[in-house]
Amino acid sequence: EIAGNTLMFDSAKVAFNSDVLLTAATTFKGTCELNGNGHALKFDADGSLCIAAGATLTLNNVIIKDITDRIFYCAADTAKIIFNNVII
């Protein structure tokens, strides 16, 4: 479980070794990567991913569960989300 009021990653690479439950609003700055290693990324009511202006978030090899229309948020037109081998 990744918890807290808000989380921020800046130019980070994160790899999962099990399913992850995101319970916080999470912001990504710079160039970031989440590698699920085939595991699930799940969201509770407070979990979301915000990509900051000019940032890129690459999601690799992950299963995204409990998705709603408020899970992904790009803070500006210059924010990018890249999906590689992602199951939604």
Side-chain angles (χ1 to χ4, degrees):
E1 179 176 322
I2 298 176
N5 293 333
T6 58
L7 299 171
M8 183 176 300
F9 292 97
D10 191 349
S11 300
K13 289 187 176 186
V14 178
F16 300 168
N17 60 11
S18 64
D19 291 352
V20 171
L21 174 63
L22 188 64
T23 63
T26 306
T27 299
F28 294 88
K29 292 179 159 187
T31 301
C32 295
E33 177 185 338
L34 290 181
N35 187 334
N37 289 317
H39 296 287
L41 175 59
K42 300 181 264 186
F43 299 86
D44 79 351
D46 295 321
S48 65
L49 303 175
C50 176
I51 297 74
T56 300
L57 173 62
T58 301
L59 297 166
N60 289 313
N61 303 315
V62 67
I63 302 163
I64 299 175
K65 295 187 174 184
D66 306 321
I67 194 166
T68 67
D69 61 350
R70 59 156 192 79
I71 296 297
F72 295 103
Y73 174 76
C74 290
D77 290 342
T78 58
K80 291 191 264 183
I81 304 172
I82 300 170
F83 297 91
N84 291 320
N85 195 30
V86 173
I87 298 171
I88 298 176

Short mmCIF file of all heavy atoms in Angstrom, two decimals, residues 37-67:
data_model
loop_
_atom_site.label_atom_id
_atom_site.label_comp_id
_atom_site.label_asym_id
_atom_site.label_seq_id
_atom_site.Cartn_x
_atom_site.Cartn_y
_atom_site.Cartn_z
N ASN A 37 5.84 -4.96 -13.25
CA ASN A 37 6.33 -6.34 -13.27
C ASN A 37 5.18 -7.34 -13.31
O ASN A 37 5.24 -8.40 -12.69
CB ASN A 37 7.26 -6.61 -12.09
CG ASN A 37 8.58 -5.90 -12.23
OD1 ASN A 37 9.16 -5.89 -13.30
ND2 ASN A 37 9.04 -5.28 -11.16
N GLY A 38 4.09 -6.97 -14.01
CA GLY A 38 2.93 -7.85 -14.14
C GLY A 38 1.95 -7.78 -12.99
O GLY A 38 0.93 -8.47 -13.00
N HIS A 39 2.20 -6.95 -12.00
CA HIS A 39 1.32 -6.81 -10.84
C HIS A 39 0.27 -5.73 -11.09
O HIS A 39 0.36 -4.96 -12.03
CB HIS A 39 2.13 -6.48 -9.58
CG HIS A 39 3.07 -7.55 -9.19
ND1 HIS A 39 2.67 -8.73 -8.63
CD2 HIS A 39 4.43 -7.63 -9.31
CE1 HIS A 39 3.72 -9.49 -8.39
NE2 HIS A 39 4.80 -8.84 -8.80
N ALA A 40 -0.70 -5.66 -10.19
CA ALA A 40 -1.82 -4.72 -10.33
C ALA A 40 -1.54 -3.43 -9.56
O ALA A 40 -0.95 -3.44 -8.49
CB ALA A 40 -3.10 -5.35 -9.80
N LEU A 41 -1.99 -2.34 -10.16
CA LEU A 41 -2.04 -1.03 -9.50
C LEU A 41 -3.51 -0.74 -9.27
O LEU A 41 -4.28 -0.61 -10.22
CB LEU A 41 -1.40 0.05 -10.37
CG LEU A 41 -1.49 1.49 -9.86
CD1 LEU A 41 -0.84 1.63 -8.49
CD2 LEU A 41 -0.87 2.44 -10.86
N LYS A 42 -3.90 -0.68 -7.99
CA LYS A 42 -5.30 -0.47 -7.62
C LYS A 42 -5.42 0.89 -6.92
O LYS A 42 -4.47 1.39 -6.34
CB LYS A 42 -5.78 -1.58 -6.70
CG LYS A 42 -5.68 -2.96 -7.32
CD LYS A 42 -6.20 -4.03 -6.39
CE LYS A 42 -5.05 -4.65 -5.65
NZ LYS A 42 -5.43 -5.78 -4.82
N PHE A 43 -6.61 1.46 -6.99
CA PHE A 43 -6.86 2.78 -6.43
C PHE A 43 -8.04 2.73 -5.47
O PHE A 43 -9.04 2.08 -5.75
CB PHE A 43 -7.21 3.77 -7.55
CG PHE A 43 -6.12 3.94 -8.56
CD1 PHE A 43 -5.99 3.08 -9.63
CD2 PHE A 43 -5.19 4.97 -8.42
CE1 PHE A 43 -4.98 3.24 -10.56
CE2 PHE A 43 -4.17 5.14 -9.34
CZ PHE A 43 -4.07 4.27 -10.41
N ASP A 44 -7.90 3.43 -4.33
CA ASP A 44 -9.08 3.62 -3.49
C ASP A 44 -9.67 4.98 -3.84
O ASP A 44 -9.28 5.61 -4.82
CB ASP A 44 -8.75 3.46 -2.00
CG ASP A 44 -8.09 4.67 -1.37
OD1 ASP A 44 -7.71 5.61 -2.09
OD2 ASP A 44 -7.95 4.67 -0.14
N ALA A 45 -10.60 5.48 -3.04
CA ALA A 45 -11.31 6.73 -3.34
C ALA A 45 -10.38 7.94 -3.42
O ALA A 45 -10.68 8.91 -4.11
CB ALA A 45 -12.40 6.97 -2.30
N ASP A 46 -9.24 7.91 -2.72
CA ASP A 46 -8.32 9.06 -2.70
C ASP A 46 -7.12 8.88 -3.63
O ASP A 46 -6.33 9.80 -3.80
CB ASP A 46 -7.81 9.30 -1.28
CG ASP A 46 -8.93 9.71 -0.34
OD1 ASP A 46 -9.80 10.47 -0.78
OD2 ASP A 46 -8.93 9.24 0.80
N GLY A 47 -6.97 7.73 -4.22
CA GLY A 47 -5.81 7.46 -5.06
C GLY A 47 -5.96 8.05 -6.45
O GLY A 47 -7.00 7.90 -7.09
N SER A 48 -4.93 8.72 -6.94
CA SER A 48 -4.93 9.27 -8.30
C SER A 48 -3.49 9.54 -8.73
O SER A 48 -2.58 9.59 -7.91
CB SER A 48 -5.75 10.56 -8.37
OG SER A 48 -5.16 11.56 -7.58
N LEU A 49 -3.32 9.72 -10.05
CA LEU A 49 -2.02 10.03 -10.62
C LEU A 49 -2.11 11.36 -11.35
O LEU A 49 -2.89 11.50 -12.29
CB LEU A 49 -1.58 8.94 -11.60
CG LEU A 49 -1.51 7.52 -11.06
CD1 LEU A 49 -1.17 6.55 -12.19
CD2 LEU A 49 -0.49 7.42 -9.96
N CYS A 50 -1.31 12.33 -10.94
CA CYS A 50 -1.26 13.64 -11.57
C CYS A 50 0.11 13.79 -12.23
O CYS A 50 1.14 13.63 -11.55
CB CYS A 50 -1.49 14.75 -10.56
SG CYS A 50 -1.31 16.40 -11.28
N ILE A 51 0.11 14.10 -13.51
CA ILE A 51 1.36 14.31 -14.22
C ILE A 51 1.54 15.81 -14.36
O ILE A 51 0.69 16.51 -14.94
CB ILE A 51 1.36 13.58 -15.58
CG1 ILE A 51 1.26 12.06 -15.38
CG2 ILE A 51 2.65 13.88 -16.34
CD1 ILE A 51 -0.04 11.54 -14.99
N ALA A 52 2.63 16.34 -13.82
CA ALA A 52 2.88 17.78 -13.79
C ALA A 52 3.20 18.30 -15.18
O ALA A 52 3.56 17.54 -16.09
CB ALA A 52 4.04 18.08 -12.84
N ALA A 53 3.11 19.61 -15.35
CA ALA A 53 3.43 20.26 -16.62
C ALA A 53 4.86 19.88 -17.03
O ALA A 53 5.78 19.92 -16.22
CB ALA A 53 3.31 21.77 -16.49
N GLY A 54 5.02 19.45 -18.27
CA GLY A 54 6.32 19.09 -18.79
C GLY A 54 6.82 17.72 -18.38
O GLY A 54 7.90 17.30 -18.79
N ALA A 55 6.06 16.99 -17.58
CA ALA A 55 6.49 15.69 -17.07
C ALA A 55 6.00 14.56 -17.98
O ALA A 55 5.03 14.72 -18.73
CB ALA A 55 5.96 15.46 -15.66
N THR A 56 6.69 13.42 -17.87
CA THR A 56 6.28 12.21 -18.58
C THR A 56 6.23 11.06 -17.58
O THR A 56 7.20 10.83 -16.84
CB THR A 56 7.27 11.85 -19.70
OG1 THR A 56 7.31 12.92 -20.64
CG2 THR A 56 6.84 10.57 -20.42
N LEU A 57 5.11 10.35 -17.56
CA LEU A 57 4.97 9.15 -16.75
C LEU A 57 4.79 7.97 -17.71
O LEU A 57 3.86 7.97 -18.52
CB LEU A 57 3.77 9.22 -15.81
CG LEU A 57 3.45 7.93 -15.05
CD1 LEU A 57 4.60 7.51 -14.14
CD2 LEU A 57 2.15 8.07 -14.26
N THR A 58 5.70 6.99 -17.61
CA THR A 58 5.58 5.78 -18.41
C THR A 58 5.15 4.65 -17.49
O THR A 58 5.78 4.40 -16.46
CB THR A 58 6.93 5.42 -19.08
OG1 THR A 58 7.32 6.52 -19.91
CG2 THR A 58 6.78 4.18 -19.93
N LEU A 59 4.06 3.99 -17.86
CA LEU A 59 3.56 2.83 -17.13
C LEU A 59 3.93 1.59 -17.94
O LEU A 59 3.54 1.47 -19.11
CB LEU A 59 2.05 2.91 -16.95
CG LEU A 59 1.55 4.10 -16.13
CD1 LEU A 59 0.06 4.28 -16.30
CD2 LEU A 59 1.90 3.89 -14.67
N ASN A 60 4.68 0.68 -17.33
CA ASN A 60 5.13 -0.55 -17.99
C ASN A 60 4.63 -1.78 -17.27
O ASN A 60 4.67 -1.84 -16.03
CB ASN A 60 6.67 -0.62 -18.01
CG ASN A 60 7.29 0.37 -18.95
OD1 ASN A 60 6.87 0.50 -20.09
ND2 ASN A 60 8.28 1.10 -18.47
N ASN A 61 4.17 -2.75 -18.05
CA ASN A 61 3.87 -4.10 -17.52
C ASN A 61 3.03 -4.07 -16.25
O ASN A 61 3.38 -4.67 -15.24
CB ASN A 61 5.18 -4.85 -17.25
CG ASN A 61 6.04 -4.94 -18.48
OD1 ASN A 61 5.55 -5.24 -19.56
ND2 ASN A 61 7.32 -4.66 -18.33
N VAL A 62 1.92 -3.36 -16.29
CA VAL A 62 1.07 -3.22 -15.10
C VAL A 62 -0.39 -3.47 -15.46
O VAL A 62 -0.81 -3.21 -16.60
CB VAL A 62 1.26 -1.84 -14.43
CG1 VAL A 62 0.76 -0.71 -15.30
CG2 VAL A 62 0.64 -1.79 -13.05
N ILE A 63 -1.13 -3.97 -14.51
CA ILE A 63 -2.58 -4.15 -14.64
C ILE A 63 -3.22 -3.06 -13.79
O ILE A 63 -2.98 -2.99 -12.59
CB ILE A 63 -3.01 -5.54 -14.14
CG1 ILE A 63 -2.29 -6.64 -14.93
CG2 ILE A 63 -4.52 -5.69 -14.22
CD1 ILE A 63 -2.33 -7.99 -14.26
N ILE A 64 -4.02 -2.21 -14.42
CA ILE A 64 -4.66 -1.10 -13.69
C ILE A 64 -6.08 -1.51 -13.35
O ILE A 64 -6.87 -1.84 -14.23
CB ILE A 64 -4.63 0.19 -14.51
CG1 ILE A 64 -3.18 0.59 -14.79
CG2 ILE A 64 -5.37 1.30 -13.77
CD1 ILE A 64 -3.03 1.77 -15.69
N LYS A 65 -6.39 -1.47 -12.05
CA LYS A 65 -7.72 -1.88 -11.56
C LYS A 65 -8.39 -0.71 -10.86
O LYS A 65 -7.75 0.24 -10.44
CB LYS A 65 -7.59 -3.06 -10.60
CG LYS A 65 -7.07 -4.31 -11.27
CD LYS A 65 -7.13 -5.49 -10.32
CE LYS A 65 -6.74 -6.75 -11.05
NZ LYS A 65 -6.87 -7.92 -10.19
N ASP A 66 -9.70 -0.83 -10.71
CA ASP A 66 -10.51 0.16 -9.98
C ASP A 66 -10.40 1.54 -10.61
O ASP A 66 -10.40 2.55 -9.92
CB ASP A 66 -10.11 0.22 -8.50
CG ASP A 66 -10.13 -1.13 -7.82
OD1 ASP A 66 -11.05 -1.91 -8.12
OD2 ASP A 66 -9.24 -1.41 -7.01
N ILE A 67 -10.32 1.60 -11.93
CA ILE A 67 -10.12 2.86 -12.62
C ILE A 67 -11.44 3.61 -12.76
O ILE A 67 -12.49 3.01 -12.95
CB ILE A 67 -9.45 2.63 -13.99
CG1 ILE A 67 -8.94 3.94 -14.55
CG2 ILE A 67 -10.37 1.92 -14.95
CD1 ILE A 67 -7.99 3.77 -15.71
#
